[in-house]
Amino acid sequence: AAGVRTAVVDWPLSNHMELLPARVKRPVYSSAKYEGSLTDGARLGKVADVYAADFAAHPDGEPMRLLMGYVHAVDSAGHKYGPEAPEVDQAVRDTDEVLETVIRRVKATFEAQARASDRLYVVISTDHGMSTVKSMVDLKELFGETLPKSAVTTTSGPLGNVYLVGVPEEER
């Protein structure tokens, strides 16, 4: 059975499709690498460009059904200025304008090229939500001496991860 024709454009960690097992269905288009320096307008503009180019390259073929894109301006502003900063509010407004522009472009292509039975889904994501950090994670304080020495830990503000992969079963 055929999968849904998909474009994954500049989505973090979506490159290196060649590393997936052969049985895994791949998108018909995926970025060769994540280009972190692109603006959200340029990144999502690529989504609209890829979609339009696919119709031109395959005028009688099965159209793409799923477009996936990523925005980062709000996340970047939040990390730089804090989640409640006016710069974050401006980044949200700017991102809203970018989304409106890109969705209009994709919609215009769909309306001009698609058949009546065609359906298109557009997924645009961002990194994560954000809130003011009120406390920091201290894994040594939380676990004390009970944390195995071979456990790997990472912390970032209010988040903490404990990896027990290298810890023998009897020490977990």
Side-chain angles (χ1 to χ4, degrees):
V4 173
R5 293 190 75 243
T6 303
V8 181
V9 179
D10 220 35
W11 190 295
L13 303 175
S14 67
N15 50 348
H16 301 300
M17 293 288 171
E18 73 279 1
L19 299 176
L20 294 173
R23 69 183 179 282
V24 175
K25 295 204 183 297
R26 292 165 175 75
V28 295
Y29 177 88
S30 65
S31 303
K33 66 178 185 162
Y34 173 70
E35 297 183 52
S37 63
L38 290 179
T39 65
D40 288 345
R43 177 173 290 108
L44 293 185
K46 285 173 53 176
V47 172
D49 293 343
V50 164
Y51 185 55
D54 187 65
F55 272 111
H58 306 98
D60 298 320
E62 182 71 18
M64 287 188 188
R65 299 271 189 243
L66 175 62
L67 305 178
M68 297 173 63
Y70 172 79
V71 294
H72 72 90
V74 175
D75 180 64
S76 295
H79 282 289
K80 186 172 184 178
Y81 302 107
E84 298 174 20
E87 291 86 351
V88 173
D89 292 341
Q90 185 60 52
V92 169
R93 286 190 293 277
D94 294 345
T95 299
D96 190 53
E97 289 178 20
V98 166
L99 291 171
E100 182 179 6
T101 299
V102 171
I103 294 300
R104 282 185 184 186
R105 285 185 58 202
V106 168
K107 183 180 177 188
T109 300
F110 180 81
E111 289 174 347
Q113 303 291 334
R115 299 174 298 249
S117 63
D118 288 342
R119 297 291 178 263
L120 176 66
Y121 301 91
V122 178
V123 175
I124 299 172
S125 181
T126 189
D127 197 9
H128 54 80
M130 193 172 293
S131 62
T132 302
V133 174
K134 296 181 177 140
S135 63
M136 304 293 273
V137 171
D138 183 340
L139 293 174
K140 289 186 185 198
E141 182 180 317
L142 288 170
F143 288 100
E145 297 300 316
T146 63
L147 188 64
K149 301 253 184 280
S150 56
V152 175
T153 62
T154 61
T155 60
S156 178
L159 302 175
N161 293 319
V162 177
Y163 299 96
L164 302 175
V165 175
V167 177
E169 192 68 38
E170 63 275 2
E171 292 181 38
R172 293 183 186 192

